Amino acid sequence: MDMKVAKKKLALKEKYKLLTRDLGWEPSYQKKDDIYPYIKYEGIKIHDWDKWEDPFRLTMDSYWKYQAEKERKFYAIIDAHAQNNGHLNITDARYLSALKIFLQAISPGEYAAGKGFARTGREFPGVGTQVACQMQSIDEIRHAQTQIHALSNYNKFYNGFHAFADARDRMWYCTLPRSFFDDAMSSGPFEFMIAIGFSFEYVLTNLLFVPFMSGAAYNGDMATVTFGFSAQSDEARHMTLGLECIKFMLEQDPDNLPIVQNWIDKWFWRGFRLLGVVGTMMDYMLPKRVMSWREAFEIYGIENGGALFNDLARYGIRPPRGWDDAGKALDHMSHQFMLALYQYNFGTAFHTDIPTEEDMAWLDKKYPTTFNKYYRPRWEHIRKLKEAGTPYKNMGLAKLCQTCQIPTVFTEPDDPTQLTIREVDYKGDKYHFCSEGCQHIFENEPEKYIQAVLPMPQLFQAPLSGDLVAWMNWVGLQNGKDNGDYFGSEDQKNFDAWRDLATRNV
Amino acid sequence: MALTSTKPYVGVPRDTVANFNGKQIVYTYWEQHLLFSTPYLTVVEPGMRFGDYWENVVKPLMQADPDAAGVNLAEVKWTMGKQDFTPNISATLAENGIVHKAQLCFRTPGVNTLLAAA
Ligand SMILES: [Fe+2]
Ligand SMILES: [Fe+2]
Ligand SMILES: [Zn+2]
C-alpha cells in the first residue's frame, strides 16, 4: 500500500538554488558566445560568473507575493485619495509644477530603466545577474505605472498633466532625462549597469527620492507619498545590485579598473546634471520647503557618496572626475536653472513664478554667499518688468549642450559671473557644451553624441521650420493653459475656488 | 575610439547647415549679462550684413536688460570662439567668417547693472 508522504517544505537556500542558479543550463548545440554576443566588446573581462553575489536570495514566487501585497495597499490609498478630493489638501497649487515635471521627465525614466534592465538581464550570462535584472526590470515598470496612476487623479483637475508621454519625447527640458536614459540604453550591458545600477541607483537615488517624497509629505500630497513608499522597498534591492555589480567587475580582473573608472566619471557627471532639476524643484517649487538642494546634496551626495568612494578606494577607484566642479556648482545651479525655466516659460508645460520676498529671504538663508549677491538682483528686475506690464520672456532661444542637452546656463566653476562656453570642432562641425564634464564625455565618444536630436536646432529644421504654434501642437502644449506664470493661471483660479468650496461655507 | 561598438559605426550629425534651408545658426552671448540664461540661439542667412544682424536680430533680444539702451556697437569688444574678433559691420556674416554654429561673445566693460562686480 502506498503511503502519502507530506511534501517537505523547501528551505530558503534550497529554493533559491532551484529557482535561480539551477536554471542556468549549459548550452549543448549553440556556442555561449552566440547566445551572449554583447558581453565582450566593452572590454570588461569576467572569469567566473558564479562569483556574483545575490544577497537578497529573492525568488520569483516570493517576489510576486510581496509586490502584490504592496499593490493592494497602494491602490486602496490612491482610491481613497481620489474619492476624498485629496488634491485639495495640498499646500498650494504652485506645488503641482513639481509633480508635472516629475511625471513628464522622471516617470518615463522609470520606464526606460525597465526596458534597460530587461535587455541587460538577457545579455548577461550569469544566472544570479539575470534574475536580479529581471526583477528590477519589473520593479521599474511598476514604478512608472504607479506614478502615472497616482498622478492621473491630478490630471482630472489641472493642466499640464495630459500630454506627459509626448512631452517625454518632444519637450525641450525632457530631453535631459531622456538623453540620459537613451545614452545608457545604447551602451553595452556593463556600462548600463554602471550608469543606472550604480551611478543612478546607488549614488543618486536618495537625492531624488528622499527630498522629493518628504517634499510631497510636507505639502500634503498623499498620492505621491504613497507611490514613494511603494517604490522605496525596491530601492534597497536596486542599490545592492548596482554595488554588487561594480565590485564584481573590479574583483574579476584588474584590467577592468580603468574602464569602470571612466564610466563612473561619465555617469556621475550626467547624473549630477540630471538631478539639477530636482534641486530646482526643492529650492523653488515647493510652497513649503523641506531642505535646500545644497543641504540635501551635503547629506546624500557628499557624506554618503564620499563614504562610498572611500570604500571603493581599495580597488583603486578614485572619486569621480567632476566631483570638485559639482561641489562648486552647488550654490548656483538651482538658481541658474530656475531663472532659465522662468524666462522660457512660454514653452513649459508647467507653471513658474517669481519668488516672493519671503521665498527670497529663505533662499538667502540657505545660500548666504550667493543668492543675494548674484541672483536676487535678477529676480527683482524680473519682478519689476512684470509689474510694469512687460513680463520678461527670452525669445532668443537657448543654446543647448550637445551631451546633456540642458540649455548652457551654467557658469565657470570659479567665476559665477562668466557663463561656461566650450566648443569642439569635429569632422567639420561645431559642438557646444555646458561644462568641462560634458565636453569630456563627448570627446570620448563623439560618434555617439553628434547624433543627438537637440530640440532647439530641430525646431528650425523641417517640418517645424521655426513655427512655434506648430511646435506647441506637436509637444501637446496648450498655450495659455499649461504654460506661463502661475499667478493668473487656470490652475491657480480653479484650485483657489475649489478649496474655498471645500473648506468654507460660501 | 570614437565609439565603443560591436562593429565600426559612423554617426549621422543632426544639425548640419544643409538642414537649415539656406540659413545657419549663430550663437551670440552678452558677457556678464546673465539675465539671459544662455547665449541667444539665432537662425539667420549667411548673406545678412553684420550691422543688420546686430540691429535687427541681437538688439531686440537684449532689451529686457537695463543696460541695453546704453550699448554702442562701435565700442563693443568681440570674440568668436576663443579668438578676438573685429567684425566688419558692412560685410555679411559669411564674409566675416561666421560659420554655422559659431559662438560670438561681446563685452561691454564696466556696464553690468544686474551683476555684482566680480
Ligand atoms: Fe524606480
Ligand atoms: Fe530603482
Ligand atoms: Zn552638458
Side-chain angles (χ1 to χ4, degrees):
Chain A
M1 207 170 100
D2 285 347
M3 273 225 307
K4 266 212 169 138
V5 183
K7 255 200 205 142
K8 200 173 78 205
K9 222 175 162 218
L10 288 173
L12 189 67
K13 215 172 155 182
E14 220 176 328
K15 192 163 107 180
Y16 173 76
K17 193 165 171 286
L18 287 169
L19 285 172
T20 58
R21 304 276 163 145
D22 269 14
L23 298 175
W25 303 321
E26 278 304 314
S28 54
Y29 58 90
Q30 290 286 349
K31 287 199 292 294
K32 259 204 156 155
D33 278 355
D34 293 340
I35 302 176
Y36 304 110
Y38 299 115
I39 47 154
K40 288 192 177 143
Y41 81 93
E42 296 174 275
I44 293 289
K45 294 176 186 156
I46 303 297
H47 305 289
D48 184 1
W49 278 96
D50 284 335
K51 291 272 156 59
W52 181 280
E53 298 282 346
D54 181 0
F56 282 96
R57 303 251 162 103
L58 192 62
T59 53
M60 260 305 160
D61 60 331
S62 22
Y63 174 79
W64 282 129
K65 218 168 106 188
Y66 186 59
Q67 299 297 71
E69 193 59 41
K70 286 200 299 189
E71 292 285 90
R72 273 193 291 277
K73 283 185 196 146
F74 169 77
Y75 283 103
I77 298 174
I78 292 301
D79 281 347
H81 180 260
Q83 280 164 22
N84 299 322
N85 281 325
H87 68 99
L88 295 177
N89 292 332
I90 57 173
T91 40
D92 187 271
R94 278 199 299 164
Y95 166 75
L96 295 171
S97 289
L99 290 186
K100 293 171 194 178
I101 296 178
F102 197 94
L103 182 66
Q104 295 165 21
I106 308 289
S107 302
E110 301 269 17
Y111 189 75
K115 287 203 286 189
F117 277 104
R119 198 204 77 201
T120 41
R122 171 61 186 84
E123 289 178 357
F124 281 134
V127 187
T129 333
Q130 289 170 349
V131 173
C133 287
Q134 196 177 51
M135 284 177 193
Q136 180 157 355
S137 174
I138 301 169
D139 287 341
E140 301 297 3
I141 288 175
R142 199 179 70 88
H143 295 174
Q145 205 168 56
T146 47
Q147 287 162 21
I148 292 163
H149 284 161
L151 298 180
S152 71
N153 186 39
Y154 291 99
N155 180 43
K156 294 178 197 155
F157 302 98
Y158 305 101
N159 294 319
F161 289 95
H162 67 286
F164 76 93
D166 282 340
R168 180 266 172 192
D169 287 335
R170 299 171 180 180
M171 252 309 176
W172 56 278
Y173 51 86
C174 292
T175 59
L176 150 62
R178 188 184 106 180
S179 77
F180 178 97
F181 283 100
D182 283 355
D183 190 348
M185 284 198 291
S186 52
S187 302
F190 288 106
E191 184 177 349
F192 178 85
M193 286 301 283
I194 294 287
I196 309 301
F198 180 70
S199 282
F200 195 75
E201 296 283 353
Y202 200 88
V203 186
L204 303 166
T205 286
N206 275 334
L207 265 166
L208 174 67
F209 271 89
V210 181
F212 197 82
M213 296 313 151
S214 20
Y218 262 53
N219 287 281
D221 174 13
M222 286 326 285
T224 298
V225 172
T226 308
F227 77 62
F229 275 133
S230 183
Q232 207 170 34
S233 50
D234 301 333
E235 298 307 343
R237 226 174 336 104
H238 300 175
M239 292 169 83
T240 309
L241 179 59
L243 193 61
E244 278 312 319
C245 184
I246 197 165
K247 288 187 171 165
F248 178 64
M249 283 187 229
L250 294 170
E251 279 165 4
Q252 283 287 309
D253 199 294
D255 289 352
N256 294 341
L257 174 64
I259 306 176
V260 169
Q261 179 73 56
N262 190 34
W263 287 336
I264 290 180
D265 292 348
K266 168 181 171 182
W267 288 99
F268 169 75
W269 190 251
R270 291 224 62 176
F272 183 70
R273 277 293 182 245
L274 177 61
L275 286 188
V277 189
V278 180
T280 308
M281 295 197 246
M282 292 176 68
D283 285 343
Y284 282 92
M285 296 185 185
L286 302 178
K288 199 161 166 51
R289 290 175 179 123
V290 185
M291 59 170 105
S292 68
W293 161 245
R294 175 179 242 298
E295 289 163 330
F297 201 86
E298 271 166 4
I299 302 171
Y300 299 109
I302 298 176
E303 271 177 42
N304 294 4
L308 169 70
F309 288 111
N310 279 341
D311 188 36
L312 291 175
R314 66 194 153 105
Y315 297 104
I317 291 287
R318 49 158 180 75
R321 204 188 125 97
W323 190 255
D324 293 340
D325 282 354
K328 289 176 186 169
L330 283 184
D331 285 327
H332 300 281
M333 57 194 289
S334 65
H335 315 299
Q336 294 171 347
F337 228 121
M338 189 62 207
L339 280 155
L341 290 176
Y342 188 83
Q343 67 197 261
Y344 301 118
N345 76 8
F346 49 92
T348 62
F350 56 85
H351 297 299
T352 39
D353 54 273
I354 301 166
T356 62
E357 197 41 55
E358 206 179 279
D359 294 334
M360 290 208 271
W362 184 86
L363 288 165
D364 174 39
K365 209 170 88 199
K366 297 297 178 183
Y367 297 94
T369 57
T370 58
F371 182 77
N372 276 357
K373 187 166 179 202
Y374 299 107
Y375 303 104
R376 179 189 277 272
R378 292 179 219 170
W379 281 120
E380 284 179 344
H381 182 67
I382 291 171
R383 190 197 287 159
K384 226 167 63 194
L385 288 175
K386 188 183 172 183
E387 283 165 2
T390 52
Y392 175 40
K393 292 183 197 324
N394 186 352
M395 295 311 288
L397 297 181
K399 179 174 114 171
L400 304 180
C401 173
Q402 188 76 25
T403 303
C404 71
Q405 308 205 6
I406 307 180
T408 55
V409 303
F410 306 108
T411 48
E412 286 294 327
D414 294 309
D415 185 356
T417 74
Q418 294 291 350
L419 211 58
T420 298
I421 307 263
R422 292 284 182 287
E423 69 177 66
V424 165
D425 287 304
Y426 182 74
K427 288 188 174 174
D429 265 302
K430 291 189 179 303
Y431 296 94
H432 299 271
F433 307 94
C434 73
S435 56
E436 204 70 51
C438 281
Q439 178 181 338
H440 185 74
I441 295 169
F442 176 92
E443 285 173 325
N444 273 335
E445 288 188 290
E447 288 297 325
K448 187 170 203 176
Y449 300 99
I450 57 170
Q451 310 174 81
V453 178
L454 299 177
M456 299 293 167
Q458 287 297 314
L459 169 60
F460 292 95
Q461 299 176 32
L464 293 169
S465 307
D467 182 343
L468 264 180
V469 174
W471 173 80
M472 284 183 179
N473 289 334
W474 182 65
V475 299
L477 180 74
Q478 310 170 85
N479 192 20
K481 286 182 178 236
D482 300 332
N483 53 0
D485 201 303
Y486 169 73
F487 291 98
S489 69
E490 211 171 72
D491 275 4
Q492 186 206 4
K493 280 179 215 148
N494 286 338
F495 180 79
D496 291 350
W498 294 331
R499 168 107 99 194
D500 256 6
L501 287 176
T503 54
R504 297 172 47 210
N505 300 304
V506 281
Chain B
M1 199 169 3
L3 182 72
T4 306
S5 54
T6 52
K7 48 183 181 266
Y9 182 94
V10 178
V12 179
R14 304 293 161 127
D15 299 328
T16 49
V17 71
N19 298 351
F20 288 84
N21 239 326
K23 295 185 177 177
Q24 69 173 68
I25 290 180
V26 178
Y27 295 113
T28 299
Y29 163 54
W30 186 1
E31 243 179 57
Q32 295 202 313
H33 284 72
L34 296 173
L35 178 68
F36 310 107
S37 281
T38 86
Y40 311 124
L41 178 157
T42 63
V43 182
V44 287
E45 270 151 27
M48 182 182 265
R49 284 182 343 112
F50 191 90
D52 292 337
Y53 177 65
W54 171 262
E55 206 54 45
N56 304 328
V57 180
V58 178
K59 257 176 111 175
L61 295 173
M62 295 160 57
Q63 290 313 306
D65 193 283
D67 297 336
V71 178
N72 178 356
L73 177 56
E75 289 160 18
V76 161
K77 303 262 175 292
W78 293 87
T79 54
M80 180 158 62
K82 289 184 191 80
Q83 312 291 322
D84 283 341
F85 168 64
T86 311
N88 176 348
I89 296 170
S90 48
T92 65
L93 299 177
E95 287 160 355
N96 271 295
I98 301 171
V99 298
H100 180 50
K101 295 206 273 179
Q103 172 68 64
L104 300 178
C105 298
F106 66 97
R107 265 169 295 138
T108 52
V111 184
N112 46 13
T113 308
L114 293 182
L115 199 67

